[in-house]
Amino acid sequence: MIGLWAEPGANPACLAGLASRIPADTIADPPANGVYLALTAAGLELRVADMPWQGLRADWLDAGLDRRAREGRRALIARALGLRGKATPRILDATCGLGRDSAHLLRLGCRVTAIERSPVVATLVEDAANRASTAGATWIAGWRGVTVDDAPVRLKDLTASDFDAIYLDPMFGGDRRSALPKRELQMLRQVVGDDPDAGALLKAARATGLRVAMKHHPRSPALARPDHQVRGGRARFDVYLPVSGS
Ligand SMILES: C[S@@+](CC[C@H](N)C(=O)[O-])C[C@H]1O[C@@H](n2cnc3c(N)ncnc32)[C@H](O)[C@@H]1O
């Protein structure tokens, strides 16, 4: 179980709320080694004991996300998910991670529902969404929340009318196309590991009959033959079109 430490001055009610929602041990002092969660005045952070000054937060107010949004629906991810011509597309982000892609899609006017199997990572995402809401970000209105679960379990209950598209971005081993700096990616990997079951996830998503877009490194192999691909310098999106009649 991960340790949860509150910096002096952090809100005690917030700490109690977190401790009741996630499998974490409340600790009086930062641990000597390993990763832990730190509740600070600025938000919740994942930290590594030997470098506590380099915490990892889900930050949905980051200027980089604002810059990304300027590209609008010409962005690769928007093309892969088929957003053009839809006023408020409903997207299921089935591998939410720290939610940077979710936050991008929210800025593009999508309604985003997310799934994340790590309760620790999902809590960082909730913290980011709360901070965006408190800061008055209007795009947060499209956020439908994150559910902690293994995505295929949830995908089984979906029908093709529930969403416009499903977005998949699993953690591939040796991943080089993440937006996260190397050290932060390593920290995230310490909590979630790699996702060797990405093939089963893709299969479950396609079985819903919905459009599916899966993000890859530009040179990594496809997990199944896509209907088409949207290619960029840092990422490639494999697109599986809706299956009619399902
Ligand atoms: C590479 S990260 C996603 C990054 C995210 N797109 C972003 O922009 O921040 C992959 C995440 O997907 C989650 N994940 C992978 N397979 C999953 C599954 N079957 N169900 C739920 N979550 C899954 C992992 O726990 C990890 O947090």
Side-chain angles (χ1 to χ4, degrees), residues 88-92 111-113 144 154-166 208-211 246:
T88 49
R90 296 155 308 154
I91 304 299
L92 177 64
R111 283 168 282 174
V112 180
T113 303
R144 297 293 181 265
R154 296 277 159 166
L155 291 169
K156 272 205 305 263
D157 299 329
L158 287 192
T159 64
S161 57
D162 290 335
F163 291 97
D164 293 300
I166 300 175
T208 62
L210 286 159
R211 180 185 185 112
S246 57

Side-chain angles (χ1 to χ4, degrees), residues 57-165:
R57 268 195 293 151
D59 186 3
W60 287 12
L61 296 170
D62 167 359
L65 283 167
D66 288 335
R67 273 197 302 278
R68 232 174 122 183
R70 283 189 214 126
E71 215 185 336
R73 292 189 180 182
R74 294 183 308 281
L76 301 183
I77 190 172
R79 285 159 45 201
L81 289 167
L83 303 189
R84 207 166 58 192
K86 297 192 177 80
T88 49
R90 296 155 308 154
I91 304 299
L92 177 64
D93 180 353
T95 54
C96 181
L98 294 177
R100 290 185 70 80
D101 289 323
S102 277
H104 182 202
L105 293 168
L106 289 168
R107 282 167 164 83
L108 297 184
C110 298
R111 283 168 282 174
V112 180
T113 303
I115 307 175
E116 169 52 54
R117 63 179 158 197
S118 160
V120 168
V121 175
T123 305
L124 292 170
V125 164
E126 283 171 356
D127 184 60
N130 288 340
R131 275 184 282 118
S133 174
T134 305
T138 50
W139 43 261
I140 201 71
W143 176 238
R144 297 293 181 265
V146 57
T147 301
V148 178
D149 211 337
D150 188 30
V153 174
R154 296 277 159 166
L155 291 169
K156 272 205 305 263
D157 299 329
L158 287 192
T159 64
S161 57
D162 290 335
F163 291 97
D164 293 300

